[in-house]
Amino acid sequence: MNAPLGALDRPNSYIGRSVSRPNARRLLAGKGRYVTDLVLPRMVHAAFLRSPYAHARIVSVDAEAARTMPGVRLIATGEDLARICQPWTGTLDHFKGMKSAPQLPLPVGKATWAGQAVVAIVADTRAQAEDAAEAVMVEFEELPPVIDIDAAREPGADRVAEELADNICFHAKLDTGGIDGLFAAAAHVVEEEFLFGRHTAVTLEPRAILADYDASEERLTVHHATQTPFQFQDLYSRHFSIPEAQVRVVAPDIGGSFGMKLHVYHEDMAVVGLSILLGRPVKFVADRIESFVSDIHARDHRVRARMAIDAAGTIIGMDVDDVTAIGAFSTYPRTSAVEGNQVIRLMGAPYRFRNYRAELSVVFQNKVQTSQYRAVGHPIAAAVTERLVDMAAAKAGLDPAAMRERNLIADDAYPCESPTGYKFEALSHQECLARLKAMMDYDGLRAEQAELRAKGIHRGIGIASFVEISNPSPAFYGIGGARISAQDGAVVKVTPSGEVRCLISVTEQGQGTETIIGQIVADQLGVAREKVRVITGDTEVTPHGGATWACRGAGIGGETALRAARALKANVLKVAAAILQARSDELDLLDGWIVDALGQQRLSLADVARIAYFRSDTLPPGTEAQLTVAHHFAPQGYPFAFTNGIQGCHVELDAETGFVKILKHWVVEDCGRIINPLLVDEQVRGGVVQGLGAAFFEECLYDAAGQLTNGSLADYLVPMACEIPDIEIGHVETPTLDTILGAKGCGEAGTAAASAAALNAVNDAMTPFGATIAQIPMTPARLLRALGRI
């Protein structure tokens, strides 16, 4: 086996041996002695040498000194891994004209962002691999970095990818027509330029992967901290030319993801390739410094937008130009254009107007890639829309709440369609607004605000409506050619002891997937919740499905489990009817017992299972004791199950220091049928915290050379417990009729409009000073600058 730069001839390296693992212990090193330490490959660890430049040619790699260091097993470059891995390109077919350069696990010839992994080093320990990385000498030729989004779009600009004609990844326009004339005739026009700072997920658990390629069986097993095991089973199969049945991906409970762990990362693909080259397990866990320069970033947008209203304060149109920078490549397989696409399509979604124009430019630059992160595009669209609504309210002389009462889509207007083409089945904006005002004591807060302003205390009140995408159909990714499933599968079975197992394709990232699925199965089958065990995250045992993303776990996975449980219950009752010589429609399963029409317990589920598994000879001829049911479900009606809600934020501004204290935050959301109120509330609260982090704290800062200047938790601010207010949650339930369960998503509701509500609240607090701000995060320095204090 060829492995350039590797230490293949070292005494304790066993690459290329043809001994299969089941037979390994048969090898003897003397009488009665096994030599498992010689033939069973030990796990080794990967580290990466990273580019110090944002844009540079890789002139040469000298690893001679590193190869001789203790514990080193292999040193691999982009060329080495390119021999065994097919390149990938992050585009979707339905995004016409989209382009991106092909990608490989490690770059060949050029590094395109500071922190990009360039050389892989594998050693017995992580420390040894990191020591050896310091001894690898790479000669770089620095190139001009492409950083500024306007300069990147100029004719003749330096290009991030030389094989592409320019730095435009994707360009799109939406236009209902007649916008210029409408704005010219409008009674009032408000406009603003909004700046959104890029930030990143900062998950509790960083990215982690352990790849184990068994050459004797030509089988790959990957333990991967990902949301989507079947997606990666497909990708590893196709890009490393391994039959899909020979690839197993295990995705156990992971410590947070928020969309960040959906994407293909170069280091992860490299680790799989390294395991194939070495024939032994290879592990990589990104440390925090590496995470900041390799985990996807998000929300890097500049939006210029305007809104037209008539003399009565009715919104009549919007005009939007969004430029978003996505790094050096479009991510794979979900791309980096989806966020911008959702921004321009979600603009103004809660409101009745019909006239709309938008332009989207997705731009390459020499920075970390951006892509889908919790509430993809929603916070941008909500912040722009809701700030313009507040500005329009001021022009029309209306209170912000009254402005929304006048313009929100009426609750009896459904089904309807947004000017961007989104189809809404049934939403509840007006009811949510009324509930929010009551929860906040909105009028009381306004009266208190006026009293405190007279005393020099500057408090602000902000509200923001939102629409959230959930339960996506194949119209999301399948239509674009991506092998990302919109369906989910469940296998529900009764064990011989009468307990229940549910193997399901949705996955667990700490949001309560297994709790929800177990609750649904127990309820629909008629057993106690503690009798149901839910198994997720293993392509070897769970049925194929899309897993967990875009708030689809309860809405699609839950529906799958519900239908499977109902089918299993019907089967159980048929077997019980055969045993009891009764009709199945006269029986029911309650609390683990077969009961008759009078509610009398006749037979336990455990007895039914015992007879079915061990005494089927006692059943009448022709009885089919099918105590295992498989079911798959995908949405068939609306392309998405849209949810909605509204948020309120109450802040106090210190105009001398620029510090903002968040006093309280409110959310009223409508996620359809609520299955577990506690989990829903905490999902919303967690989302609000992330939204407030974007509003006040989180931003990945780059200098003119493309260097991330705050890539550690010492410098990158995340909200702490002491900075987060009490968050009060209220609910409206408008179930979707596309499913029996009626559940929609709730995981992104908190994030969707928290920063929008905060932006409006801070601007409200600044009103007495005649100052405004349209950039997030709203740091003290930016607020003082807006106030004219610095």
Side-chain angles (χ1 to χ4, degrees), residues 580-600:
L580 297 171
Q581 299 183 17
R583 286 170 41 189
S584 61
D585 60 358
E586 295 176 343
L587 302 175
D588 201 357
L589 179 55
L590 298 174
D591 297 324
W593 283 85
I594 305 298
V595 299
D596 59 23
L598 299 176
Q600 182 178 354

Side-chain angles (χ1 to χ4, degrees), residues 704-720:
Q707 297 290 331
L708 182 64
T709 61
N710 63 334
S712 76
L713 287 176
D715 301 302
Y716 181 94
L717 301 181
V718 293
M720 308 293 283

Side-chain angles (χ1 to χ4, degrees), residues 192-204:
E192 185 62 272
E193 178 178 279
F194 298 87
L195 299 175
F196 298 89
R198 65 161 54 203
H199 48 279
T200 190
V202 197
T203 54
L204 182 65

Side-chain angles (χ1 to χ4, degrees), residues 635-764:
Q636 296 293 321
Y638 284 81
F640 308 99
F642 285 96
T643 75
N644 71 277
I646 190 167
Q647 300 192 27
C649 189
H650 192 205
V651 304
E652 184 174 308
L653 170 68
D654 185 333
E656 299 302 319
T657 65
F659 280 94
V660 174
K661 182 177 182 180
I662 312 167
L663 301 173
K664 193 166 182 178
H665 200 94
W666 298 264
V667 182
V668 179
E669 64 81 46
D670 183 347
C671 65
R673 182 84 65 220
I674 296 176
I675 302 165
N676 188 307
L678 179 61
L679 285 178
V680 170
D681 283 358
E682 298 315 313
Q683 276 282 291
V684 173
R685 285 194 176 94
V688 167
V689 171
Q690 286 184 287
L692 294 177
F696 293 105
F697 304 103
E698 298 186 52
E699 185 173 18
C700 297
L701 299 170
Y702 281 82
D703 64 18
Q707 297 290 331
L708 182 64
T709 61
N710 63 334
S712 76
L713 287 176
D715 301 302
Y716 181 94
L717 301 181
V718 293
M720 308 293 283
C722 61
E723 293 151 338
I724 296 304
D726 180 36
I727 302 169
E728 186 178 346
I729 313 295
H731 302 283
V732 174
E733 289 189 64
T734 308
T736 174
L737 300 181
D738 273 356
T739 63
I740 301 168
L741 186 61
K744 306 176 189 178
C746 72
E748 297 176 326
T751 309
S755 55
L759 180 65
N760 279 342
V762 170
N763 275 286
D764 187 45

Side-chain angles (χ1 to χ4, degrees), residues 184-324:
H188 303 290
V189 173
V190 293
E191 56 186 316
E192 185 62 272
E193 178 178 279
F194 298 87
L195 299 175
F196 298 89
R198 65 161 54 203
H199 48 279
T200 190
V202 197
T203 54
L204 182 65
E205 177 190 40
R207 288 185 3 255
I209 185 170
L210 193 161
D212 182 7
Y213 182 72
D214 185 344
S216 66
E217 297 182 358
E218 297 183 345
R219 180 168 176 78
L220 174 68
T221 301
V222 183
H223 294 262
H224 194 174
T226 178
Q227 296 172 235
T228 50
F230 284 100
Q231 170 189 294
F232 279 94
Q233 179 191 41
D234 168 69
L235 294 173
Y236 295 146
S237 168
R238 287 191 289 118
H239 290 281
F240 288 98
S241 301
I242 304 170
E244 186 177 285
Q246 292 292 90
V247 178
R248 178 186 183 187
V249 177
V250 183
D253 297 359
I254 60 175
S257 179
F258 315 121
M260 184 271 286
K261 295 173 183 173
L262 286 172
H263 313 291
V264 169
Y265 289 94
H266 301 86
E267 295 92 340
D268 297 347
M269 296 293 273
V271 166
V272 172
L274 294 169
S275 180
I276 293 171
L277 289 175
L278 281 168
R280 62 171 61 188
V282 179
K283 178 180 179 180
F284 170 71
V285 179
D287 64 30
R288 286 297 178 190
I289 303 299
E290 290 177 307
S291 292
F292 274 106
V293 294
S294 59
D295 292 357
I296 60 104
H297 296 174
R299 320 265 210 252
D300 192 351
H301 291 254
R302 184 191 69 198
V303 182
R304 292 169 177 160
R306 55 182 184 154
M307 178 178 285
I309 61 173
D310 65 17
T314 301
I315 302 169
I316 58 175
M318 282 186 72
D319 190 13
V320 174
D321 178 60
D322 180 18
V323 182
T324 179

